[in-house]
Structure formats: structure tokens, C-alpha cells
Amino acid sequence: MEAMKSIVNPLSSIYFVCILLLFANAASAKTHYHDFVIQATPVKRLCKTHNSITVNGKFPGPTLEVNNGDTLVVNIVNRARYNVTIHWHGVRQMRTAWADGPEFITQCPIRPGKSYTYRFTIQGQEGTLWWHAHSSWLRATVYGALIIHPKQGENYPFPKPKRETPVLLGEWWDTNPIDVVRRATRTGAAPNVSDAYTINGQPGDLYKCSKQDTTIVHMDSGETNLLRVINAGLNQQLFFTVANHKLTVVGADANYVKPFTTSVLMLGPGQTTDVLIKADQTPSRYYMAARAYASAQGAPFDNTTTTAILEYKTASCSSNCAKTKPVSPSLPAYNDTATATAFTRKFRSPKKVEVPTEIDENLFISVGLGLENCPRGARSRNCQGPNGTRFAASMNNVSFVLPSNFSLLQAHHQGIPGVFSTDFPAVPPVKFNYTGNVSRSLWQPIRGTKLYKLKYGATVQVVLQGTGIFTAENHPIHLHGYDFYIIAEGFGNFNPKTDTSKFNLVNPPLRNTASLPVNGWTVIRFVADNPGVWIMHCHLDVHITWGLAMAFLVENGVSELESLEAPPVDFPVC
């Protein structure tokens, strides 16, 4: 009997310690409550005042700060004249797909005068994410930072910086952006490009009527600041730099990375990059600047430059610096694909990771623009694309169509027929020279709401293949509900016989938005461990407007913890 006790007691002690740790973690986790009022607010930029849609009257909207393991409860009250949803970009939403936010994918929109409360828990994520409207082009002004700190008592995997500063890069139209996209949708032509870029909502010194409101970031000599850089722009990849300063990249998309130093960042819309910057230069003022990386040859783009000012706070600088012209930065050329590519290829996970190696689902998805022939009987004013066509975009030649009477998740959960099909093709219907001269017969996609079904726990590889249909360009591809490993990228057509030798199965980066190289390919892998309907789309909003998207339907697993939760009681109905 004594011998038996000597065996049982240590096991009981371990069990007791585990229980205590569980309770300790639960006790340290907090629930954060916020109210977001979506409303029109006078916002003055570029000399003119517009009634812009904002959250709580702020542009950009509020920065939310939580710890890993915390829960967010955000009540949305829509006092604007447009439908709205809020997407928590990059949050895994484990079993809580109802809170993901994309309009007609996981929910019907919140109608004017209505409200909806998003409830979700941050699980195993640390770093910088963001939130934004996912309804039409409202995210032009409806966005903000979502910062996830380590659990209480835990630290960053790098020395704690003295300061932390969100840096939100955006785009500004000197008109109503909803009118811009509506006109483009009506005419079939490309929408007008933005009139300015912004840093934390301000265009900066180089634009008219903007100098006095330029964003200023203060630092003391010798200190280190963690810049949390977010590309919240609608339609443009951006280069970002700080004059005379090196940037040490330590995180991206709420995942830590193996640190590396660079002088310039390239972020596609949706991407975040955490960088450490040390105030190790002569005390003065230095421009922080962002401008376009425009990879589509011949396509119009906003070629302006936004600036903020990094200002040293020291005795020698305080009285003189305000009068000093900031040091100007050196930015890459607009079409500098070599710099963009060199940057994205530097990302690695900090240590060896468990990359899926036995693949259950292997997809090859062609990505690109296209043109629709003018519909029979349509007026020429509705077909103002090239040669009397309408712009379109597609994945595997399917131009994605949003439903209008139900959300896809609601239709799946309730078994409503006729809303979608599950026959999204795993490979392009027609093989062709994707990055060469593409036959005009392949330019016109078919329209449909096609999903691809995945069993719970399936391991998935997706080869994303850019195409030269109409014009080739870099596409930021975002997958909702998941992080994925980017195991390789390259230019030209993906060759399964030779390009697999480039696969990094040791320490690839974990991201939620991948930059698909212009006229190139990217390979991603993930495990389908989160049930629901999850859209994968280009984060250039003009492209998702044209249909550059598809969605995965991930089935429930066996247990309750592998199954989608029930929808909230206040879930919006169409």
C-alpha cells in the first residue's frame, strides 16, 4: 500500500500543478468591452472637409490593446447611411467564425440603425493585427490597430523597447470613396486612384494644407522604439522607410520572426510588420515616408508620398528641431520589384516549426485580372473597360459572386440550398502559359459562388500562381481564419518538378497575408483546424470588387471543441 502511495502521490502533484496553472491562466485573462459607433464625421484633409464614415468620430479609429488569451466584446452601433461589418484582420477566430466579419461571407451586414456585438478570444497570437470595415469600400476610413501583448508575466523574445508606436499607412480620396467604387461598378472601368497616402490619418508635409497636422513620433536619444507598421491602404502596396535609420524586423502578422535588419519595408494591404528602431543618429528631425510599390505595368496609381516626422526629444534638439527641415529619406523606385522581393524573402520563423508534410489537399490556383464582354443589351456607358468591356478578376477562372440574401456561413450552418456550390476547381480548368502571352479566349472568367470543401484536420497546400491576363501585378492574398506557412515563392510558372527543391520546410514564416510576386507564384500550407466558411481574397479592394476571391468550407470535426459554435442571438439577418 505504501508503495502504491509513492506512485500515486507524484502523479497527483503534477495533476494538481496543471490545474493550478490552468486556473492561473484563466484568472490572468481579461475581457475587454468596447463600443464602436459607426457614423459620419466631418474630416478635413487636403484643404476640404468631407463627411467621412468613422468609428467614434475618430480617423483612424481606436487602437485596441489586449493580451494573448484575452476576450474582446465589441458592440457595433451603425449610425451611418451604409451597411457595415467589421473584420478583425488576422484573428484566428477559433470556432467563432460568426465574429469574423466579411459581408455576406460569415454574416449579413449591420443595417443602418442596427447593432451587433462581436465576441471572440485571442488564442496563441502576439504582435500587431488590425480591424477594418469589410463592406464595400468603407475601410478607406473605418480601420484601426489591434495590438496583442504577451500574456501577463511573459515577455517579448527581444529586449523590451522604451516605446511602442502604431504606424498606420492609409489611402485618402478627396471625395466619397463609396461613390468611387459605385461608379466603377456601374461603368465597368477601373476606379479613380487615391489622392493621397496617410500615416496615422495625416498626409504629411508634401501635400497641400497638410503640413501643420503632420504626424510626429518622438524618441529620446539612445532609446529603442517598436514601430507597429500596418498597411491599411485599399489598393496599393507600399514601401516604407525612415531617413538615416535601420529597421530591425521582429514580427509580422502577429507572429514573431527571426530578426533581420533592413532600410526599407514593403507591405501589401492587410500586412503588418513590427520593427525596432533605435534613436542612434544625430539629434534632429527625420522623415518617415511611404509611397507606392506599383508592379502593374501601365496601370495608373497614386504616385504621391506621405510623410511623418521622427523627432528626437533631447535638450540639444528641443529648441532648435522644430525649425529644422527633416532629413529626407531614400525610397525605392515605384516599380522596384527586386527590392520588394528581397524584402519578402528575408522572413523566417525564429526556430524550427512543424510544417505539414503529408498533404491531403493539393490546390493550384491561378490568380489574376480579366475582362468581361459587354453583356447583350447593355449600354456602352456600362462597359467602359478596355475595348468596350468590363473589368473582372478571378481565381481558377471563377469570378467570385457574393450572395445577397444569406451569408455563406449561415447557409452552410442552416443547410439552406441554392446559395453556393462546393465545386470550386482544385486546378485551373484550362492549363496555359500563365505568365506569358495569354490567349484572349482565356480572358473572360465565369461568375459563380463556388466553395472548396475541406475535412476538419486536413493538411492543405495551395500553389498561388499569378497570371499575365490583361496585366500582371503583385497581389496581397489574405486567408481569413488561418495563419499559413509561406514555404516558397518565385517568378514565372510554378514547376512541380524543379521548384519543390526551393521549399523551406524548416523555418518558413507564418503569415495571414502573402505577397504573390508579379508574374510569379507562392506556395502556402496550413492545417484545416478551424471550422467555418473562410474567404481567401486579394486585399486590393478593387480586385475583390471584381471577384478575385474564393472560399473554403471547413467541416466540423468529431468533438464539440472541433465544431463551430452556435450563432449569437443578435446575429444580423439579411
Side-chain angles (χ1 to χ4, degrees):
M1 196 67 172
E2 289 298 320
M4 180 66 77
K5 284 182 181 178
S6 68
I7 296 173
V8 172
N9 286 345
L11 293 175
S12 300
S13 299
I14 293 170
Y15 178 75
F16 183 66
V17 169
C18 289
I19 293 295
L20 283 178
L21 286 172
L22 283 172
F23 274 111
N25 284 334
S28 65
K30 296 179 180 177
T31 300
H32 303 262
Y33 295 89
H34 297 276
D35 291 304
F36 277 15
V37 178
I38 313 292
Q39 60 190 15
T41 303
V43 177
K44 186 175 183 179
R45 297 291 186 275
L46 308 182
C47 313
K48 289 169 62 177
T49 299
H50 297 277
N51 269 332
S52 299
I53 306 303
T54 66
V55 171
N56 299 347
K58 297 180 178 180
F59 170 65
T63 293
L64 305 184
E65 297 196 50
V66 299
N67 293 84
N68 181 5
D70 287 356
T71 296
L72 271 166
V73 180
V74 186
N75 181 46
I76 310 294
V77 178
N78 186 6
R79 293 184 183 158
R81 58 192 177 104
Y82 305 109
N83 296 334
V84 72
T85 65
I86 300 293
H87 170 51
W88 314 93
H89 186 109
V91 174
R92 286 292 316 272
Q93 298 289 0
M94 300 301 293
R95 303 179 55 230
T96 53
W98 306 105
D100 190 44
E103 183 180 52
F104 294 117
I105 303 295
T106 59
Q107 69 169 93
C108 294
I110 306 167
R111 305 292 184 184
K114 302 295 184 180
S115 63
Y116 175 51
T117 300
Y118 293 92
R119 299 172 177 85
F120 56 92
T121 299
I122 307 292
Q123 300 183 49
Q125 295 183 277
E126 294 178 14
T128 304
L129 296 176
W130 63 302
W131 56 265
H132 60 80
H134 210 299
S135 184
S136 186
W137 276 21
L138 284 183
R139 80 172 178 87
T141 52
V142 178
Y143 62 84
L146 172 54
I147 296 171
I148 308 170
H149 298 286
K151 291 180 179 179
Q152 289 190 354
E154 297 184 6
N155 301 312
Y156 298 131
F158 47 82
K160 184 175 175 61
K162 180 76 177 293
R163 300 173 190 262
E164 298 184 13
T165 305
V167 178
L168 290 93
L169 311 177
E171 281 183 274
W172 177 263
W173 276 261
D174 203 14
T175 186
N176 182 352
I178 303 298
D179 292 343
V180 174
V181 67
R182 284 180 173 175
R183 181 180 184 279
T185 302
R186 184 174 64 252
T187 63
N192 290 340
V193 299
S194 56
D195 297 289
Y197 300 113
T198 57
I199 297 178
N200 291 350
Q202 294 293 342
D205 285 8
L206 306 183
Y207 297 90
K208 60 184 180 180
C209 304
S210 302
K211 188 167 185 174
Q212 66 182 20
D213 296 312
T214 298
T215 297
I216 297 178
V217 176
H218 291 106
M219 287 183 68
D220 291 322
S221 280
E223 77 177 20
T224 299
N225 192 343
L226 176 62
L227 301 182
R228 300 178 177 274
V229 187
I230 300 166
N231 186 349
L234 253 73
N235 293 319
Q236 192 61 64
Q237 289 94 340
L238 294 168
F239 288 120
F240 173 83
T241 192
V242 182
N244 289 18
H245 288 73
K246 293 291 187 182
L247 305 171
T248 300
V249 178
V250 293
D253 294 357
N255 290 289
Y256 296 118
V257 302
K258 185 177 181 180
F260 66 91
T261 301
T262 181
S263 59
V264 64
L265 313 180
M266 194 288 286
L267 298 90
Q271 292 184 318
T272 73
T273 307
D274 291 345
V275 299
L276 297 174
I277 180 171
K278 188 170 184 179
D280 56 5
Q281 298 298 301
T282 302
S284 187
R285 308 172 91 213
Y286 299 86
Y287 273 131
M288 311 166 77
R291 76 176 183 190
Y293 164 47
S295 59
Q297 190 171 1
F301 66 97
D302 179 350
N303 64 359
T304 61
T305 301
T306 180
T307 56
I309 297 172
L310 177 67
E311 184 172 300
Y312 280 58
K313 287 176 58 181
T314 61
S316 63
C317 187
S318 57
S319 58
N320 300 321
C321 276
K323 303 172 186 176
T324 304
K325 180 176 173 59
V327 178
S328 293
S330 175
L331 278 160
Y334 299 114
N335 61 350
D336 192 345
T337 291
T339 294
T341 303
F343 175 72
T344 59
R345 288 185 177 177
K346 288 180 181 177
F347 285 85
R348 297 286 185 273
S349 288
K351 56 187 178 182
K352 190 177 187 303
V353 293
E354 294 296 322
V355 184
T357 53
E358 299 294 326
I359 302 301
D360 300 316
E361 299 279 357
N362 202 338
L363 288 82
F364 186 102
I365 299 180
S366 61
V367 173
L369 303 187
L371 299 172
E372 289 182 323
N373 294 329
C374 195
R376 187 182 300 274
R379 297 181 178 180
S380 59
R381 69 187 184 193
N382 301 123
C383 300
Q384 294 182 27
N387 300 316
T389 61
R390 294 177 58 85
F391 274 108
S394 65
M395 289 186 168
N396 279 355
N397 207 46
V398 179
S399 188
F400 191 77
V401 177
L402 288 173
S404 57
N405 296 323
F406 301 95
S407 72
L408 296 176
L409 186 63
Q410 179 187 7
H412 162 60
H413 186 71
Q414 297 178 0
I416 301 170
V419 179
F420 63 84
S421 61
T422 55
D423 57 347
F424 180 84
V427 295
V430 178
K431 291 184 179 180
F432 58 97
N433 180 6
Y434 304 105
T435 56
N437 291 323
V438 182
S439 166
R440 289 294 295 263
S441 64
L442 295 169
W443 284 30
Q444 175 143 338
I446 63 168
R447 292 168 59 83
T449 310
K450 297 176 180 291
L451 278 57
Y452 191 89
K453 189 181 291 188
L454 296 172
K455 290 188 178 300
Y456 183 91
T459 53
V460 185
Q461 174 175 290
V462 182
V463 178
L464 296 163
Q465 174 67 63
T467 68
I469 297 177
F470 187 69
T471 185
E473 67 182 291
N474 185 298
H475 297 275
I477 304 296
H478 173 48
L479 174 59
H480 287 229
Y482 287 89
D483 286 338
F484 47 75
Y485 289 111
I486 302 177
I487 61 171
E489 66 172 51
F491 290 103
N493 297 330
F494 177 77
N495 186 330
K497 293 180 180 178
T498 58
D499 288 332
T500 51
S501 64
K502 302 172 185 175
F503 285 6
N504 176 7
L505 302 179
V506 178
N507 61 349
L510 194 60
R511 304 294 299 262
N512 64 54
T513 305
S515 290
L516 174 59
V518 55
N519 259 330
W521 51 267
T522 297
V523 183
I524 67 173
R525 288 185 182 180
F526 63 96
V527 178
D529 59 358
N530 193 11
V533 176
W534 306 105
I535 188 172
M536 183 170 73
H537 65 91
C538 181
H539 221 278
L540 304 178
D541 270 31
V542 61
H543 289 180
I544 190 173
T545 301
W546 290 337
L548 213 172
M550 58 83 65
F552 291 105
L553 192 167
V554 181
E555 298 177 313
N556 285 337
V558 176
S559 69
E560 181 181 356
L561 294 179
E562 296 177 348
S563 302
L564 181 67
E565 292 182 0
V569 293
D570 61 340
F571 195 63
V573 294
C574 291

